[in-house]
Amino acid sequence: MEETIKVGDYIIVQRQNYTKLHKLKGHGTILLGSFNIEMDNCIGERYFDTFQIKNVPNSKRNYTLEKIENLSLVSSNLNVEESGNDNRNIEADDNNQTMSSEEINKMKDEELSSNNIVEKLISNSKTFSTKTGFSQEKYIKKKSKKYCEYIQIRRPSIRLMAQMFYRQDPAKILGIRIDDLSQILTYSNIQSEGTHVLYDSGTSGLMSAALMETIGPNTTGKLIHMHPGNECQKVAFLAMEYPEEQRKRCINVNLYSVLRQFYQGNPGEGDSIEPNEQSSNAENQVTEEPDAKRRKVERPNWQVDNEEACELLKKGVHSIVITAKEHPVNIVDALEPFLLPSRNLVVFSTFKEPLEELYFHLKTKLNYLAVKLSTNFMRNYQVLPERTHPEVNMTNGGYLLTGIKIEQ
Amino acid sequence: MSFNGYKDLIVEGESVILYLTINQFYILEAKTTTLSKKGVVVQNIFQTPYGSLACGDLIGKKYGTKIQLKKGWAYILQPTPEFWTELLPHRTQIIYTPDISMILLCLELKPTSIVIESGTGSGSLSHAIIRKIKPSGHLYTFDFHETRVDIARNEFKEHGLSQYVTVQTRDVCTDGFGKDLEGKADSVFLDLPQPWLAATFTSQVFKRGGGRLCSFSPCVEQVQKMCSALTNLGYQEIQTMEVLQSQFAIQKKKMSILNLDMLKTSNNKETVKNEKEFSNFITSVAPNTLPGHTGYLTLLLFHQHM
């Protein structure tokens, strides 16, 4: 992978623990918290480089980037001279900090330097010197984080994006936490070969990106990515910037359209297609008026994709993954006939109840064994000398139903 | 051979999963004959609770189909790393699928990755790593226990995975990972009692630009020691976590509904007695006891500009 940051790249901008996905344009800006940052100065630099957010002179809340060559400057180098033994003399009081928020904001607008701001905050704090050493460290860390003026540019990865989407808004990825994603990938037994089916009703492209990464570059594996809408969501997929041969092996098709094609054959050969699909593929259909000869030969892209998907479905598929907002039973009924025997089905849901119904459906109506419903407990730890403990906040994951198809 | 890719039919010598019930499944070899404990060639018969099975009969059968046993039937399935984790002969404490899944994702493995693992242990994680990195990646796995190394190497061979893995006897805590691997790896995984001893050798093995490391330790003290060692070595983005899975038993339940309203009036005594009401519902019950701790996963990034 090339190391240089270029215009057109998808990048992950990281400020402390906060990350944001961004497509780099020439003369573009990114909004990070309250900062509006011009990104041009990172173009041509390398991934992993650290940049300082610098005020643009004579403008309010406009910032630009400056590359940091000496990383040792980044770490906080505040000296603490005095600390207390415990908190017996500290009272909670709004007046402990004598600097007003206006004064702090003014400092921010003049020159963003977390070191200077934190130093000022400390010298204007009545209680800082009586805090314990640990407590002072925590204070400095918290404040430096708030006024941090450094960002790092990263290349997107499945791990970074899964964590980023979940932190920003779990609903963006149907509540799929990183442990859920990791287990979908193992329990589906997906690997670099075979044909795989994904039905995904909206994870910002994370699921198709993750499955295509597992299939990998220059392999024989293929993914039929079925989606319910006009266009599939694909931000995360595009962000991975897979080579063209790998991108092409992910066939994006509308769920309704591909199933109709499979059971009823080509549209236009008698049947008319439904308005939903017409609008969905309007972009492809309203191309320039080709002459009559060419029109017959050239079919819209979506139809070519449908045909390719149907050919693969006829041969049978090696895994089915469903990450759906909709009730899973009908989706499973529609897709599972394509699953080959001894191959795995994995269904994720934010809710347990639909999967309970699916469990009995698989056990009584269909041929599946080793059907299991599971959920995870996951937590992160703060690891510091003498201060190791679970992190204060934790999150909830979703539910996974897995099973193996058998031939009756 | 049956761990390498998707197979339709059982070929002679392949490992096969024989599945009876959710708690009764076995791995056996589709071979007509086998060696007895005394080293004599005998017919390969597998005893199941539903009667015996001549393993040679499985050759040519289709994976995912039903086979008849004397007192019932069973299904034959192609093995997966997940089945192997459940069935492998334990030579050490092993890593289970929830942790394995997280390790694979957080090490950012793909079908081109070069991975270093130590120790090999019982090969539970190794099988899952290989599935993820084949066909173009490679796993270098080390253990200081010679017999374990031999058994693991043999298993990889029987499972058709030899081309993707190199197994070596080596104490990485004292000897490092060897000159040949310098600058080669994308990811490193350590499951060692004193991982900080091996940590000092890790920074040399990464490709130009760096890579990712994961350390698995059951105890908090190990994690603390490891984290400070790695911070001193220049590792970044330390993240420590644990993942525990619980599986539900899904049940249809019936609860009787008591009619207590009729007590308020004196009539209708008989009709009420006959009409017993029930509520039917589906529920999932978490097990009474479940794994409460496996180990802590510590994940880090090693980065250096070229």
Side-chain angles (χ1 to χ4, degrees):
Chain A
M1 271 277 187
E2 212 188 317
E3 279 236 324
T4 313
I5 304 168
K6 304 184 304 296
V7 172
D9 280 3
Y10 281 87
I11 58 172
I12 283 185
V13 180
Q14 183 167 12
R15 177 172 174 246
Q16 299 282 353
N17 291 327
Y18 180 82
T19 46
K20 190 169 183 177
L21 185 63
H22 178 73
K23 186 169 183 185
L24 203 55
K25 296 190 193 100
H27 312 297
T29 60
I30 183 175
L31 197 62
L32 217 60
S34 59
F35 307 112
N36 189 32
I37 306 164
E38 294 166 9
M39 295 298 285
D40 270 5
N41 289 347
C42 75
I43 295 164
E45 304 295 344
R46 291 172 303 177
Y47 280 97
F48 279 108
D49 275 345
T50 301
F51 299 88
Q52 186 171 7
I53 308 173
K54 284 263 181 181
N55 305 58
V56 173
N58 306 323
S59 77
K60 246 195 164 183
R61 294 286 151 95
N62 272 338
Y63 298 85
T64 181
L65 294 177
E66 195 179 291
K67 192 180 157 191
I68 298 293
E69 302 289 350
N70 186 355
L71 280 176
S72 63
L73 295 174
V74 174
S75 55
S76 152
N77 51 3
L78 294 166
N79 286 321
V80 179
E81 284 159 359
E82 200 185 343
S83 38
N85 291 324
D86 52 40
N87 62 6
R88 73 181 72 196
N89 297 318
I90 300 177
E91 302 285 342
D93 184 349
D94 286 346
N95 297 322
N96 283 343
Q97 177 57 253
T98 55
M99 260 209 315
S100 69
S101 56
E102 285 81 24
E103 286 174 287
I104 298 170
N105 275 337
K106 205 175 153 225
M107 281 189 76
K108 245 168 85 177
D109 290 342
E110 275 163 11
E111 195 205 348
L112 186 67
S113 156
S114 60
N115 254 348
N116 290 348
I117 295 176
V118 176
E119 215 166 336
K120 269 272 158 48
L121 284 172
I122 291 172
S123 60
N124 287 291
S125 164
K126 289 178 190 161
T127 48
F128 186 82
S129 58
T130 54
K131 285 174 189 275
T132 65
F134 284 158
S135 177
Q136 288 173 335
E137 195 183 319
K138 197 170 161 186
Y139 181 87
I140 292 173
K141 218 172 153 185
K142 197 169 139 192
K143 295 298 177 190
S144 326
K145 198 169 164 180
K146 191 167 173 189
Y147 300 106
C148 173
E149 71 272 37
Y150 300 104
I151 62 162
Q152 214 181 16
I153 308 274
R154 305 284 300 271
R155 195 183 280 285
S157 75
I158 300 294
R159 177 186 63 92
L160 283 174
M161 287 193 291
Q163 287 174 340
M164 177 191 75
F165 285 128
Y166 194 87
R167 191 167 37 225
Q168 288 173 355
D169 179 8
K172 276 189 181 173
I173 47 170
L174 300 176
I176 300 177
R177 205 170 52 177
I178 192 161
D179 51 320
D180 295 320
L181 176 62
S182 75
Q183 292 179 17
I184 290 170
L185 297 176
T186 43
Y187 288 117
S188 62
N189 191 32
I190 181 170
Q191 36 197 295
S192 56
E193 57 187 85
T195 306
H196 307 273
V197 166
L198 165 69
Y199 174 72
D200 176 19
S201 49
T203 56
S204 309
L206 182 68
M207 284 311 301
S208 56
L211 296 182
M212 274 321 286
E213 179 167 82
T214 312
I215 286 170
N218 302 312
T219 59
T220 55
K222 284 184 175 165
L223 178 67
I224 304 173
H225 172 202
M226 301 184 183
H227 56 88
N230 298 341
E231 276 287 330
C232 63
Q233 299 186 356
K234 54 185 168 195
V235 185
F237 185 86
L238 294 175
M240 291 302 291
E241 298 182 45
Y242 293 126
E244 200 195 348
E245 64 81 25
Q246 190 177 356
R247 269 201 319 267
K248 272 186 167 165
R249 285 182 285 127
C250 175
I251 308 159
N252 300 312
V253 290
N254 172 282
L255 173 72
Y256 300 90
S257 166
V258 75
L259 288 175
R260 184 174 298 113
Q261 167 104 27
F262 186 85
Y263 290 108
Q264 301 180 27
N266 268 333
E269 291 171 5
D271 292 311
S272 65
I273 46 172
E274 292 202 352
N276 175 31
E277 282 162 39
Q278 276 175 343
S279 67
S280 76
N281 298 294
E283 208 179 303
N284 297 322
Q285 287 179 336
V286 191
T287 43
E288 289 160 56
E289 273 295 305
D291 54 83
K293 267 186 200 166
R294 279 185 64 196
R295 196 188 304 175
K296 272 200 169 171
V297 188
E298 277 184 25
R299 289 155 305 158
N301 285 338
W302 62 267
Q303 201 177 319
V304 177
D305 290 342
N306 273 351
E307 279 167 22
E308 191 184 353
C310 288
E311 281 309 308
L312 293 169
L313 289 174
K314 270 178 206 156
K315 292 180 203 147
V317 304
H318 298 88
S319 79
I320 295 182
V321 172
I322 296 174
T323 50
K325 272 185 204 146
E326 303 86 355
H327 199 286
V329 167
N330 285 4
I331 303 168
V332 168
D333 272 343
L335 299 183
E336 77 86 27
F338 305 119
L339 189 61
L340 292 165
S342 194
R343 304 290 162 236
N344 300 7
L345 168 74
V346 178
V347 185
F348 171 88
S349 177
T350 326
F351 310 109
K352 194 163 61 168
E353 290 75 9
L355 295 182
E356 290 171 350
E357 280 175 49
L358 180 61
Y359 174 88
F360 282 108
H361 188 72
L362 290 178
K363 297 284 273 190
T364 54
K365 304 254 169 52
L366 301 169
N367 299 313
Y368 283 81
L369 48 74
V371 184
K372 289 173 189 166
L373 176 61
S374 62
T375 190
N376 298 315
F377 168 98
M378 180 184 96
R379 64 179 177 187
N380 291 297
Y381 283 79
Q382 166 186 302
V383 180
L384 286 171
E386 294 181 74
R387 281 155 295 162
T388 297
H389 60 70
E391 275 175 15
V392 180
N393 294 315
M394 64 183 286
T395 52
N396 273 311
Y399 298 88
L400 269 191
L401 186 119
T402 59
I404 305 172
K405 171 109 178 239
I406 44 171
E407 200 166 85
Q408 200 51 23
Chain B
M1 299 299 282
S2 50
F3 278 83
N4 188 7
Y6 303 108
K7 303 280 164 64
D8 294 333
L9 302 177
I10 297 173
V11 176
E12 179 163 14
E14 275 185 353
S15 301
V16 179
I17 302 292
L18 185 73
Y19 190 98
L20 274 64
T21 68
I22 199 131
N23 296 317
Q24 292 170 302
F25 49 94
Y26 315 91
I27 191 159
L28 48 84
E29 284 190 334
K31 275 185 194 161
T32 320
T33 57
T34 187
L35 290 178
S36 75
K37 277 175 194 162
K38 288 174 190 160
V40 187
V41 177
V42 293
Q43 212 199 342
N44 191 13
I45 302 285
F46 189 82
Q47 297 297 339
T48 79
Y50 298 165
S52 60
L53 170 75
C55 301
D57 293 352
L58 297 177
I59 299 163
K61 286 224 158 57
K62 200 174 166 192
Y63 281 115
T65 53
K66 199 181 198 174
I67 56 158
Q68 191 68 45
L69 295 168
K70 280 193 188 100
K71 286 177 272 178
W73 62 82
Y75 290 92
I76 41 177
L77 302 172
Q78 189 183 349
T80 60
E82 288 65 51
F83 268 125
W84 182 244
T85 293
E86 301 273 322
L87 292 167
L88 60 84
H90 283 216
R91 309 180 277 273
T92 54
Q93 180 62 255
I94 67 161
I95 302 178
Y96 289 95
T97 304
D99 287 320
I100 289 175
S101 306
M102 195 54 122
I103 293 164
L104 300 181
L105 181 57
C106 287
L107 286 180
E108 298 183 349
L109 302 189
K110 36 187 160 275
T112 50
S113 305
I114 307 297
V115 187
I116 294 175
E117 177 196 32
S118 186
T120 312
S122 305
S124 170
L125 173 66
S126 323
H127 276 74
I129 291 179
I130 294 168
R131 172 180 60 192
K132 194 96 178 171
I133 62 169
K134 75 188 175 61
S136 310
H138 199 87
L139 171 67
Y140 295 89
T141 181
F142 303 98
D143 203 301
F144 57 31
H145 193 286
E146 186 133 23
T147 320
R148 281 209 290 267
V149 167
D150 289 341
I151 297 173
R153 189 182 289 127
N154 203 29
E155 278 169 357
F156 292 132
K157 196 173 161 226
E158 282 173 6
H159 294 165
L161 302 175
S162 293
Q163 62 191 108
Y164 310 115
V165 57
T166 306
V167 201
Q168 265 181 56
T169 316
R170 192 183 186 99
D171 184 352
V172 297
C173 292
T174 54
D175 306 336
F177 301 93
K179 260 226 141 353
D180 292 350
L181 285 179
E182 279 176 19
K184 290 276 166 60
D186 294 291
S187 306
V188 173
F189 175 79
L190 300 176
D191 177 8
L192 299 165
Q194 295 180 296
W196 49 91
L197 296 178
T200 43
F201 301 106
T202 53
S203 34
Q204 295 128 38
V205 301
F206 288 112
K207 280 183 182 161
R208 292 199 314 162
R212 297 191 57 79
L213 182 138
C214 175
S215 174
F216 179 92
S217 300
C219 302
V220 174
E221 291 79 1
Q222 292 170 306
V223 175
Q224 278 181 329
K225 220 165 162 182
M226 185 62 170
C227 283
S228 49
L230 291 166
T231 312
N232 293 336
L233 288 167
Y235 278 87
Q236 306 168 36
E237 288 184 15
I238 301 195
Q239 203 182 1
T240 298
M241 62 171 88
E242 66 177 336
V243 186
L244 297 165
Q245 185 187 63
S246 65
Q247 273 177 19
F248 297 101
I250 304 157
Q251 294 165 354
K252 282 185 174 158
K253 292 275 187 191
K254 196 175 183 185
M255 228 176 222
S256 59
I257 298 173
L258 302 184
N259 190 343
L260 302 173
D261 273 347
M262 58 103 176
L263 301 172
K264 293 173 185 166
T265 53
S266 56
N267 38 5
N268 295 338
K269 243 184 205 166
E270 297 228 330
T271 51
V272 166
K273 246 189 182 174
N274 295 336
E275 283 173 29
K276 234 184 173 187
E277 272 192 85
F278 290 100
S279 163
N280 292 298
F281 60 96
I282 296 177
T283 184
S284 9
V285 186
N288 277 333
T289 57
L290 65 166
H293 180 63
T294 55
Y296 301 103
L297 292 173
T298 299
L299 296 145
L300 309 96
L301 165 80
F302 185 77
H303 174 73
Q304 60 195 10
H305 270 316
M306 22 196 94

